[in-house]
């Protein structure tokens, strides 16, 4: 029964949405006219040459309407040069290496994207659900792969790993020392206090209990001081103590 349902679903997708383009993925998206935001994003991310390459690739392509569903200002922010890495991460989460047509996709539970993370896939009704989106047009064949049109932008989960206590401290000292020596004591104190907050916010294991206690005590003492030079030195001494105990 399960195989029968899968077959019917696949047939529905193929018959209702089959199309073909002699152009590559990028040019096909441009010609369609409904992927202007996606094309602009691909250009801003520097992925045009990649997606015009031999591939093959399978692209889950959000329409302009899909991008419009994002919170106001999100697209504009992502297109800024300083957010290029984040944009690349999001766009490559929409790309799978190889050709994954609807028939093959309907038998999968997830697919590994070029981003490195997996996106979930499951049949739903007469279509497929990919992550938090639905495929609204499947199996658009291009010269270097396939396009499945989706109704929402896929956002990958953050892959950022917690930074170690030592790394936070070293980064703070690296920023703080030049500022302190240049006479910017208040900025140095602010950097050190923020580093302390970062450590307290992520340090929860028994292994870092001592470090956490040292930082917490120093922050309390520094907060009671009105002199930013003293605040900076209190935190610096605490940082040095934590680093020394780790060696």
């Amino acid at each position: 029964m399960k195989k029968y349902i899968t077959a019917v679903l696949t047939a529905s997708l193929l018959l209702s949405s089959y199309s073909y383009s002699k152009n590559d993925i990028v040019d096909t998206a441009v010609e369609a006219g409904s992927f202007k935001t996606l094309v602009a994003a691909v250009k801003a991310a520097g992925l045009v040459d990649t997606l015009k390459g031999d591939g093959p690739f399978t692209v889950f392509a959000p329409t302009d309407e899909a991008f419009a569903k994002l919170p106001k200002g999100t697209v504009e922010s992502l297109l800024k040069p300083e957010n290029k890495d984040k944009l690349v991460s999001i766009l490559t989460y929409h790309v799978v290496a190889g050709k994954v047509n609807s028939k093959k996709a309907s038998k999968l539970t997830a697919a590994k994207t070029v981003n490195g993370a997996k996106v979930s896939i499951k049949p739903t009704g007469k279509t497929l659900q990919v992550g938090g989106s639905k495929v609204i047009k499947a199996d658009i064949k291009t010269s270097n792969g396939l396009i499945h049109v989706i109704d929402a932008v896929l956002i990958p989960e953050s892959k950022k790993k917690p930074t170690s206590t030592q790394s936070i401290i070293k980064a703070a000292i690296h920023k703080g020392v030049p500022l302190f020596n240049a006479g910017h004591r208040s900025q140095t104190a602010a950097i050190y206090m923020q580093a302390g907050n970062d450590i307290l916010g992520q340090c929860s294991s028994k292994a870092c209990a001592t470090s956490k206690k040292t930082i917490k005590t120093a922050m309390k003492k520094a907060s009671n001081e009105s002199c930013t030079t003293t605040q900076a030195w209190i935190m610096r001494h605490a940082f040095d103590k934590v680093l020394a105990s780790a060696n």
Side-chain angles (χ1 to χ4, degrees), residues 18-236:
Y18 175 84
S19 61
Y20 174 74
S21 172
K22 293 182 180 180
N23 294 323
D24 58 51
I25 290 170
V26 176
D27 289 342
T28 299
V30 171
E31 283 193 359
S34 54
F35 302 102
K36 294 178 181 178
T37 305
L38 176 60
V39 172
V42 168
K43 290 180 179 178
L47 295 174
V48 172
D49 289 342
T50 299
L51 293 178
K52 288 177 74 68
D54 294 336
F57 302 106
T58 296
V59 175
F60 296 103
T63 61
D64 290 334
E65 291 182 355
F67 276 101
K69 294 178 183 178
L70 293 173
K72 186 176 180 180
T74 299
V75 173
E76 291 77 7
S77 177
L78 287 172
L79 293 178
K80 292 180 179 179
E82 60 266 32
N83 293 325
K84 182 177 179 180
D85 288 345
K86 185 175 182 180
L87 180 60
V88 170
S89 176
I90 291 175
L91 292 178
T92 53
Y93 190 58
H94 292 73
V95 182
V96 175
K99 292 184 179 181
V100 183
N101 59 27
S102 57
K103 181 178 180 180
K104 183 176 181 179
S106 66
K107 298 176 182 179
L108 301 175
T109 57
K112 186 176 182 179
T113 67
V114 175
N115 167 286
K118 289 186 176 182
V119 62
S120 63
I121 299 176
K122 68 176 181 179
T124 174
K126 293 183 178 181
T127 184
L128 291 171
Q129 182 172 325
V130 180
S133 72
K134 286 185 179 180
V135 175
I136 55 179
K137 188 175 180 64
D139 299 321
I140 299 175
K141 296 183 179 181
T142 71
S143 63
N144 63 341
L146 294 170
I147 294 176
H148 300 305
V149 184
I150 55 177
D151 66 353
V153 178
L154 305 174
I155 304 297
E157 293 184 8
S158 175
K159 296 187 290 184
K160 185 177 180 180
K161 297 181 179 179
T163 306
S164 70
T165 297
Q166 289 76 24
S167 295
I168 293 174
I169 290 175
K170 289 178 180 179
I173 292 175
H174 181 72
K175 291 180 181 179
V177 169
L179 289 171
F180 189 90
N181 292 338
H184 303 298
R185 311 298 165 79
S186 60
Q187 292 182 39
T188 305
I191 289 172
Y192 288 172
M193 292 295 279
Q194 181 58 56
N197 281 321
D198 291 342
I199 292 169
L200 296 182
Q202 74 169 32
C203 186
S204 58
S205 66
K206 292 182 179 180
C208 65
T210 301
S211 297
K212 186 174 181 179
K213 183 177 180 180
T214 299
I215 298 300
K216 189 174 183 179
T217 300
M219 290 185 70
K220 184 176 181 180
K221 185 177 180 180
S223 296
N224 291 327
E225 294 288 342
S226 58
C227 175
T228 54
T229 298
T230 303
Q231 289 177 353
W233 273 117
I234 290 173
M235 293 304 299
R236 176 58 192 272

